[in-house]
Amino acid sequence: MAQMNQFRARSIPIDSSLLFLQAERNHRSYAIYSKKLHEDVLIKPRRSDMSFWQRISGLQNETIDARVQVYLDNVGLGLVCKLGKQRLDWSLVTAMVERWRPKTHTFHLPIGEATVTLQDVQVLWGLPIEGEVVSGIWYETNDTDWIPLVVTYLGIAPEDIGDRGIRKGRILLSVLIAALAQNVGDTIESHQQRARVYILALMGGVLFSDSNAYDVPLSFLHTTIDLSPDRRISWGSAVLVGDVMVID
């Protein structure tokens, strides 16, 4: 039998200058290698999707109303809701961030270079990668101009928005989460409005999360107006681009 070659991977790099975020011997990779890893050396990105998934789990039978789910499926975001809250390995996140190189948009690993591909996004999230691009601008310059649009397309009353619910063209995720606590109506319009609330909450808390963990741009609202199955949007492409920008 042919002898198999053994490969031994080390968390400590041969060239310590690659780990430029901390001084040599004080870098977290040495703590990992020596099994002295503590919570204070882990990167823990802020997550704004906790309250969203808590609201989902608080629903009867822990499912979204089927009359609303159909519209989420139409736009290609149904599977994301069904996947639910994802647990993150903070040690793995820390290790991957440290080995990301913005110049090449790749992870430098002991086995070579690797990066996140469009196929990864499609397989892991079930997002469509073909269709219209996620783009476009609405030219409302005053926050008050957004209120009638929010009322029409999201079904959220002005008193529920409050004085600071919309700021600089962004709506607070807490306003969207509070809307999910209300009973959905029996009309097609109310079902579509609830689906749009879910979509915006997903955008701000899961798909396009960034350092701002409190609100989501209302400019995304235009992508949710048409909820018919004939309109497909390449959510996967937008998520991939957004993830790379966040890492950089």
Side-chain angles (χ1 to χ4, degrees):
M1 296 178 63
Q3 184 177 1
M4 296 182 61
N5 294 327
Q6 294 184 350
F7 177 80
R8 183 180 180 182
R10 290 164 53 93
S11 62
I12 301 177
I14 297 175
D15 183 0
S16 60
S17 65
L18 292 175
L19 300 175
F20 52 84
L21 295 184
Q22 292 186 16
E24 185 178 355
R25 298 295 176 187
N26 291 326
H27 195 274
R28 56 177 59 91
S29 67
Y30 292 94
I32 295 173
Y33 192 71
S34 59
K35 299 181 180 179
K36 296 180 180 179
L37 188 63
H38 301 288
E39 289 293 322
D40 58 347
V41 300
L42 292 178
I43 296 176
K44 289 190 174 182
R46 290 183 296 178
R47 299 185 64 176
S48 59
D49 61 334
M50 296 298 187
S51 57
F52 174 75
W53 296 120
Q54 288 172 355
R55 175 58 58 191
I56 296 291
S57 62
L59 296 174
Q60 185 178 5
N61 300 323
E62 298 189 4
T63 58
I64 299 174
D65 191 301
R67 299 169 298 179
V68 176
Q69 182 70 45
V70 65
Y71 294 108
L72 297 175
D73 293 336
N74 284 349
V75 298
L77 297 178
L79 185 58
V80 177
C81 288
K82 294 177 182 178
L83 287 174
K85 175 184 173 184
Q86 300 298 303
R87 297 184 60 183
L88 300 180
D89 186 332
W90 302 117
S91 299
L92 178 59
V93 171
T94 300
M96 297 302 289
V97 169
E98 291 293 349
R99 301 184 184 280
W100 177 260
R101 296 297 176 263
K103 290 185 178 180
T104 59
H105 298 296
T106 57
F107 296 102
H108 284 219
L109 306 175
I111 58 173
E113 295 185 41
T115 191
V116 183
T117 67
L118 192 57
Q119 184 180 26
D120 294 329
V121 177
Q122 182 187 33
V123 172
L124 294 175
W125 289 97
L127 296 172
I129 59 175
E130 296 180 352
E132 300 178 26
V133 297
V134 181
S135 65
I137 300 177
W138 264 349
Y139 294 97
E140 278 69 19
T141 57
N142 195 314
D143 286 341
T144 57
D145 295 335
W146 286 107
I147 294 179
L149 297 173
V150 170
V151 173
T152 300
Y153 293 112
L154 301 181
I156 301 176
E159 57 269 22
D160 295 330
I161 300 173
D163 295 334
R164 299 184 60 81
I166 297 178
R167 294 175 293 180
K168 297 181 179 180
R170 303 173 70 97
I171 186 170
L172 290 176
L173 285 170
S174 59
V175 174
L176 299 177
I177 300 303
L180 297 178
Q182 306 297 325
N183 293 327
V184 63
D186 295 325
T187 66
I188 294 178
E189 181 183 15
S190 63
H191 302 157
Q192 293 179 341
Q193 289 172 338
R194 180 57 56 88
R196 295 187 185 103
V197 173
Y198 277 116
I199 294 172
L200 281 184
L202 283 172
M203 288 181 179
V206 181
L207 301 180
F208 306 132
S209 57
D210 53 25
S211 59
N212 188 336
Y214 305 104
D215 51 29
V216 57
L218 280 168
S219 56
F220 286 136
L221 188 58
H222 79 282
T223 63
T224 69
I225 294 178
D226 184 0
L227 298 176
S228 66
D230 297 328
R231 187 190 184 198
R232 303 296 288 178
I233 297 178
S234 182
W235 296 110
S237 302
V239 168
L240 177 61
V241 173
D243 287 344
V244 170
M245 292 178 64
V246 168
I247 296 176
D248 285 349

